[in-house]
Amino acid sequence: MKEVSALSIMKARIKFRKFGVMRFIGHLDVMRYFQKAMRRAEIPIAFTGGYSPHMIMSFAQPLGVGVTSDGEYLDIELKEAVDCAKAARRLNEAMVEGIDVVNMVPIPEDKKSSGMTIVAAASYRVTLLESAKSAEITKEIPASWKTKIEEFMGQENIVVLKKTKRSETETDIKPMIYQMQWNVDGIELFLAAGSEQNLKPDLVMGAFIGFVGEEPERVPFHYHRLDVYAKCKEGTDGFLPLDRFGLQEYENEQKRSQDQCYENLRPSEDSI
């Protein structure tokens, strides 16, 4: 029997941080962790129908093992309306150290607004480590790398060997690097992400280290995701973090519904 989604009356997007020992927990275990947290926090999450019901939740651009983050996203469907601020507080009370809920916002009901669908970019801070044995002990980024980054980004093409599950292909990643900036305490990256184009920060840094004449395996980095973004509407430039984008779209939807309601209440010419 085909599973059918149970009735849900609200969709919400949860933004959370992942840090400490929890960075070693894989995506499937993070999903199971949130399922348990939803029960402990008594969040009225909706379930699919059929013989094997499960919570309706989806993650936007799941994080790789070992990477920390300040901007991870989870979309859920709810079977009753909730106060998002109170729900986020209850979730945090049910969490263990290593995952914090930053906020929870309502999002539009339509599928095209889901986090998995709208992801277009991600930002990272890359820190240089004293040793690959610890992500806690870092050192300054060499000042000479500032010029090297400019030269690296000044190339017409940046071709790397990109591995997939089935093959390896040479790919020009230059169009997928939206920004690469030197700071003394870390390198800031703004990269393409999502289903259309997806670039991992370790691939960029591997190419850069090769460019400066070092062996990538001898230069350990820690990768920290700052946020995940959706592209602004057509005709405009720029990106918005998924929580702000979702809330903006929700408020626009509410305004359109309200305007339509006023339009329906307006008397027609025949009735005047």
Side-chain angles (χ1 to χ4, degrees):
M1 179 178 177
K2 185 179 180 181
E3 292 185 356
V4 180
S5 296
L7 180 65
S8 66
I9 65 169
M10 178 181 177
K11 286 188 177 182
R13 178 163 297 145
I14 296 169
K15 181 178 184 178
F16 65 96
R17 298 173 58 233
K18 187 181 178 187
F19 56 96
V21 296
M22 292 298 283
R23 70 180 185 273
F24 298 115
I25 303 300
H27 169 59
L28 291 178
D29 287 325
V30 170
M31 183 174 66
R32 295 186 189 103
Y33 173 83
F34 266 98
Q35 289 171 345
K36 292 177 182 179
M38 294 289 172
R39 293 189 180 97
R40 289 196 296 266
E42 299 182 344
I43 304 299
I45 191 167
F47 284 75
T48 60
Y51 292 117
S52 180
H54 55 270
M55 293 181 183
I56 303 176
M57 59 169 59
S58 61
F59 290 79
Q61 203 68 16
L63 202 64
V65 175
V67 182
T68 54
S69 177
D70 285 335
E72 297 304 290
Y73 292 92
L74 165 66
D75 288 357
I76 61 173
E77 294 188 23
L78 299 156
K79 57 188 178 183
E80 62 184 68
V82 300
D83 181 305
C84 286
K86 291 180 180 178
R89 186 164 59 249
R90 293 208 307 270
L91 277 170
N92 273 329
E93 290 170 354
M95 295 288 177
V96 299
E97 185 178 358
I99 292 185
D100 288 340
V101 171
V102 177
N103 62 41
M104 179 173 168
V105 297
I107 60 173
E109 295 283 336
D110 58 305
K111 291 184 178 180
K112 67 180 182 180
S113 296
S114 72
M116 285 174 35
T117 304
I118 62 175
V119 169
S123 57
Y124 300 87
R125 178 181 296 115
V126 184
T127 49
L128 184 59
L129 303 178
E130 285 282 357
S131 167
K133 295 179 180 179
S134 173
E136 311 302 326
I137 306 173
T138 63
K139 57 184 181 180
E140 292 185 353
I141 304 295
S144 61
W145 284 14
K146 185 174 184 179
T147 302
K148 289 295 184 182
I149 287 174
E150 293 172 358
E151 293 173 358
F152 178 71
M153 290 300 295
Q155 299 176 99
E156 185 176 348
N157 306 103
I158 302 174
V159 179
V160 301
L161 193 63
K162 195 173 183 184
K163 297 179 181 180
T164 64
K165 291 182 179 179
R166 297 183 179 179
S167 63
E168 295 181 345
T169 56
E170 285 193 344
T171 304
D172 180 14
I173 62 172
K174 173 74 180 294
M176 293 182 269
I177 306 174
Y178 300 145
Q179 187 175 6
M180 184 174 185
Q181 184 175 346
W182 177 92
N183 284 307
V184 68
D185 57 349
I187 293 172
E188 307 286 337
L189 295 175
F190 192 58
L191 310 176
S195 57
E196 292 186 11
Q197 290 185 316
N198 189 55
L199 183 58
K200 294 181 179 180
D202 56 335
L203 196 60
V204 178
M205 294 310 300
F208 173 71
I209 291 303
F211 177 80
V212 300
E214 299 279 354
E215 295 181 21
E217 57 272 13
R218 291 178 176 269
V219 186
F221 291 110
H222 174 66
Y223 300 96
H224 179 78
R225 184 187 280 173
L226 298 170
D227 220 322
V228 180
Y229 303 81
K231 198 167 189 326
C232 295
K233 288 190 174 294
E234 290 185 20
T236 60
D237 295 324
F239 299 84
L240 278 176
L242 291 195
D243 53 339
R244 287 175 55 195
F245 183 89
L247 183 59
Q248 184 181 88
E249 290 293 287
Y250 175 79
E251 291 173 344
N252 290 340
E253 182 183 68
Q254 294 296 105
K255 186 177 184 303
R256 286 193 296 269
S257 297
Q258 190 176 53
D259 290 345
Q260 184 63 45
C261 179
Y262 289 151
E263 185 67 29
N264 292 339
L265 289 173
R266 187 178 300 166
S268 64
E269 293 183 359
D270 293 338
S271 63
I272 298 176

